[in-house]
Amino acid sequence: MAEPISLFQWLCRRIEGTGLKPSIRKSFPREPMGISLSFDNLSFTYRGAEKPAIERIRGDIKEGAFVVIMGHGGAGKSSLCCTANGLIPRFFRGDYRGRVLTQGIEAAGAGVGVSDLSRIVGLVMQDFEVQLFSSNVELEMAFGPENLGLSRERIGELLDRYLPFVGLGGMNRRDTATLSGGQKQRLAIGAVLTMETPVLILDEPTTDLDPRGRSDILSLAADLKDSRRTLVMADNDAETAADASRIWLMRQGVLIAQGPPEQLLADPGLLQSCGVKPPPTVTLFESLGWPGRPLTPEEAISEIRNRNLISPRRDGKSAPPPRAASRGGPAILETQDLCFRYPGSSVNALDHIDLAIREGEFVALIGQNGSGKTTLAKHFNGLLKPTSGRLFVDGKPASSFTRHQLARQVGYVFQNPDHQIFAPTVREEVGFGLKVLGEPSKVIERNVEEALAATGLAGYGERSPFLLSRGERQRVAVASVLAIKPPVIVLDEPTTGLDDRHQQDSLEMLRNLNRQGHTIIIITHAMAVAEAFASRTIVMKEGRLLANGPTRDVFSEEALLAKAALIPSPLARLSNRLGLAALTLPEMVEELKA
């Protein structure tokens, strides 16, 4: 019996039978090798846009380099990434000028298509979910190499290598629809890794990954360098960029600066002008007037010891008690022996959860991808119902509430705001929930205006939400929940895809809502966000509670966090090693000065 072949292989054989060659085997004129990507006076303006997305970009990326592109939201990072494999201008149309050479091939040259370049450039887009379409993990991972005509044996080898690497080992037959957001991001990265292209471009690849997953993806740089493969990553995290061979800084479509990390990351003014948060260790030393500009906690400790700047009271031991305790109001959400199992699964996604969240708390839910954070949060407003156990809302069984009544108690903002936005205008979107609940028009109008003002969207009422930035759409989603005025607001990854300024704006908005009496629950992989804003942190692992307590206490236990694939932020790690109570930069500056 003949070995099954892919559709691509079948097409290639049919084409060969006609005497023609499939386009992917074309021979293109190449320039001298040694340079993976070359941008020559490149500009691009999207069709219908008034300003260029990228403008006069010049620069070369060498083979084996690890380059991190940094810049504010809308700086042009994603657009630049999409020029390397021809998505711009082949798929995204507009005014394209200049040229891009990918492994010596002109990406927008005559006769060169996106499919041709797919053998050279692997791209994981910022909106990674749009790249997933297969029914299970194995099929998704195998799709690329199968369509490159690789043998079944070779595809099996690639799956065996990359499934464990991206943390999806043993999940071959898992339905992609049942994966968590972080697991989907891992899958999108894995599906590109299996193609083993000479150039790998990752656009914000770790937004939904736990810290250990982020570390695993960054380990790619060393592996790729050994094989002279190139890694380009759009990412605003200074800890990521510290390991790069070069950094490209962008602002408003223009490449502002190129250079090594030790040069650019040590310039807070330059970084901030591009909407990038400087390394906290650099800002700390600058704020205290200390010499040196360390990029990592390890470098900071070395500088402190070598220059005898202070005398650490401890070294790697638990920090003092928390700087502030959680509020002690009555329980507004409570679970008793809560279990949940997804249909068709043989294991519990939630395993005997006993938890109480009190009125007025600001709580962070953290844990590795697939640990059950979102599953637990979806029980709070009835999106999921327990397989066994009980859930109480404001002291009453959740089963005693109608769906509308529960919506008035607990508002839920999805990880991707586009999953809950559909109305033609911001005003209609924000008022939709109130309309469904049957509120009179005057109440709807008043609540909508109050919600828009509270989220910084006053004056946005008649605008289309689909034409807003990611951060603005996130605010629209929050406003649509806030208009109902629920006592509890749950937000799944509220900072995903936002640059530093928009992250801070969104989090300050949540802090203000918390001060007004709302109970805030955030699911986050950004450890610095949990450290700075949450009064209490809950750590989950494999559907169970691993830790639950004041945020400072939780982040002092680095060994415990490591069991959940979590790593405190650089500032928290430095604070732990110095024996400080601080978890934020202002607190640390104040504590060290005192």
Side-chain angles (χ1 to χ4, degrees):
M1 184 175 180
E3 181 181 1
I5 62 173
S6 70
L7 175 61
F8 178 84
Q9 292 171 307
W10 180 82
L11 286 172
C12 284
R13 293 181 184 180
R14 290 294 300 270
I15 293 172
E16 287 168 351
T18 66
L20 301 174
K21 292 183 179 180
S23 63
I24 205 164
R25 298 184 182 180
K26 286 180 180 176
S27 177
F28 301 108
R30 295 176 180 267
E31 295 199 356
M33 298 301 288
I35 301 295
S36 277
L37 294 169
S38 180
F39 300 90
D40 182 12
N41 202 31
L42 180 68
S43 297
F44 180 73
T45 305
Y46 286 97
R47 183 179 292 173
E50 296 180 359
K51 297 180 180 180
I54 48 178
E55 191 170 11
R56 299 188 302 276
I57 304 294
R58 294 178 181 272
D60 295 332
I61 297 176
K62 295 180 180 180
E63 285 185 341
F66 172 27
V67 175
V68 174
I69 306 173
M70 310 181 81
H72 59 84
K77 305 184 298 295
S78 296
S79 296
L80 187 61
C81 290
C82 287
T83 63
N85 70 343
L87 282 177
I88 289 178
R90 301 296 189 197
F91 185 79
F92 300 108
R93 300 303 179 95
D95 182 16
Y96 180 96
R97 302 184 183 187
R99 66 175 188 162
V100 180
L101 296 177
T102 301
Q103 294 284 99
I105 300 171
E106 186 169 354
V112 181
V114 174
S115 60
D116 302 318
L117 293 172
S118 66
R119 294 188 69 147
I120 301 173
V121 180
L123 172 65
V124 178
M125 294 188 287
Q126 185 175 6
D127 187 2
F128 53 87
E129 289 193 49
V130 304
Q131 294 183 242
L132 304 178
F133 57 88
S134 298
S135 57
N136 68 38
V137 168
E138 182 177 270
L139 291 175
E140 189 69 47
M141 293 279 284
F143 181 81
E146 182 183 25
N147 282 280
L148 293 179
L150 302 185
S151 69
R152 178 180 294 179
E153 291 74 19
R154 178 56 181 155
I155 293 173
E157 292 171 1
L158 291 170
L159 294 184
D160 290 343
R161 176 182 180 184
Y162 289 112
L163 274 169
F165 179 82
V166 295
L168 299 176
M171 301 176 68
N172 300 49
R173 302 294 181 181
R174 179 80 174 267
D175 186 341
T176 55
T178 67
L179 300 178
S180 70
Q183 288 170 329
K184 288 178 180 177
Q185 188 163 34
R186 290 169 180 265
L187 179 57
I189 294 170
V192 171
L193 289 177
T194 57
M195 298 180 70
E196 296 196 323
T197 54
V199 181
L200 181 62
I201 299 179
L202 307 177
D203 190 359
E204 301 282 358
T206 60
T207 52
D208 289 4
L209 299 189
D210 53 59
R212 182 67 55 78
R214 170 183 281 270
S215 179
D216 290 343
I217 296 304
L218 294 180
S219 71
L220 274 172
D223 294 340
L224 296 179
K225 185 176 182 180
D226 292 341
S227 57
R228 294 181 61 82
R229 294 165 67 195
T230 304
L231 176 62
V232 179
M233 189 179 294
D235 196 311
N236 275 351
D237 182 69
E239 195 169 14
T240 297
D243 293 326
S245 51
R246 304 273 295 179
I247 293 174
W248 286 22
L249 272 177
M250 296 188 69
R251 182 174 66 225
Q252 296 179 356
V254 177
L255 184 57
I256 298 298
Q258 306 177 48
E262 57 270 21
Q263 173 189 336
L264 297 188
L265 293 181
D267 189 340
L270 176 63
L271 293 173
Q272 289 168 342
S273 74
C274 295
V276 177
K277 186 176 182 179
T281 46
V282 169
T283 308
L284 175 68
F285 272 56
E286 185 179 62
S287 300
L288 292 168
W290 287 352
R293 292 294 179 264
L295 303 185
T296 67
E298 293 72 26
E299 290 178 13
I301 288 291
S302 179
E303 289 280 348
I304 289 169
R305 286 175 174 164
N306 292 341
R307 299 178 185 271
N308 199 29
L309 298 174
I310 62 171
S311 299
R313 296 194 296 268
R314 297 178 188 78
D315 194 351
K317 296 183 180 180
S318 297
R323 60 192 184 274
S326 283
R327 301 182 187 181
I332 194 166
L333 294 172
E334 185 176 3
T335 67
Q336 293 180 357
D337 202 32
L338 182 69
C339 295
F340 179 78
R341 181 177 297 184
Y342 284 100
S345 174
S346 59
V347 297
N348 284 341
L350 296 177
D351 200 9
H352 303 285
I353 301 293
D354 290 304
L355 175 67
I357 294 176
R358 303 190 178 281
E359 283 184 4
E361 284 194 292
F362 196 128
V363 177
L365 266 176
I366 64 175
Q368 62 198 121
N369 299 130
S371 60
K373 304 181 301 295
T374 298
T375 301
L376 175 60
K378 284 183 175 179
H379 279 76
F380 295 155
N381 74 334
L383 287 174
L384 295 175
K385 297 186 182 300
T387 302
S388 64
R390 306 181 74 188
L391 169 67
F392 296 88
V393 178
D394 200 18
K396 303 174 185 176
S399 57
S400 68
F401 290 84
T402 66
R403 191 175 297 275
H404 285 178
Q405 289 171 334
L406 206 51
R408 289 187 180 277
Q409 294 294 317
V410 183
Y412 193 98
V413 180
F414 287 86
Q415 186 171 349
N416 186 342
D418 296 336
H419 289 173
Q420 63 189 103
I421 291 176
F422 57 88
T425 69
V426 170
R427 187 180 306 282
E428 290 176 83
E429 183 67 44
V430 175
F432 181 79
L434 292 167
K435 185 177 179 180
V436 169
L437 293 174
E439 294 289 352
S441 58
K442 288 185 178 181
V443 172
I444 294 175
E445 184 178 349
R446 182 187 68 241
N447 286 16
V448 166
E449 292 303 324
E450 290 177 355
L452 291 176
T455 53
L457 294 173
Y460 280 63
E462 304 311 316
R463 296 178 64 176
S464 168
F466 305 105
L467 299 180
L468 302 180
S469 69
R470 168 67 183 255
E472 289 168 334
R473 296 198 306 277
Q474 186 83 38
R475 287 170 173 264
V476 170
V478 173
S480 65
V481 168
L482 189 59
I484 300 173
K485 298 187 175 181
V488 182
I489 301 177
V490 182
L491 302 101
D492 196 349
E493 296 290 355
T495 60
T496 294
L498 305 185
D499 59 27
D500 181 56
R501 180 174 68 83
H502 289 105
Q503 279 193 29
Q504 292 305 311
D505 289 347
S506 294
L507 291 167
E508 286 298 336
M509 174 191 69
L510 296 180
R511 200 203 300 267
N512 288 333
L513 293 173
N514 183 237
R515 287 170 178 162
Q516 294 168 20
H518 291 275
T519 302
I520 304 295
I521 303 170
I522 60 169
I523 302 167
T524 184
H525 288 118
M527 298 298 101
V529 168
E531 293 161 1
F533 289 87
S535 55
R536 179 154 66 107
T537 294
I538 298 167
V539 184
M540 296 191 68
K541 180 184 180 182
E542 297 175 351
R544 298 191 176 197
L545 301 186
L546 184 64
N548 177 14
T551 295
R552 187 61 188 95
D553 285 357
V554 170
F555 280 97
S556 70
E557 299 292 340
E558 294 190 25
L560 181 143
L561 291 171
K563 294 178 181 179
L566 301 176
I567 305 169
S569 73
L571 203 63
R573 299 202 302 273
L574 179 60
S575 182
N576 288 341
R577 281 149 185 75
L578 296 178
L580 304 177
L583 279 180
T584 67
L585 187 63
E587 290 172 347
M588 188 173 288
V589 170
E590 181 180 353
E591 191 170 354
L592 288 171
K593 284 183 176 180

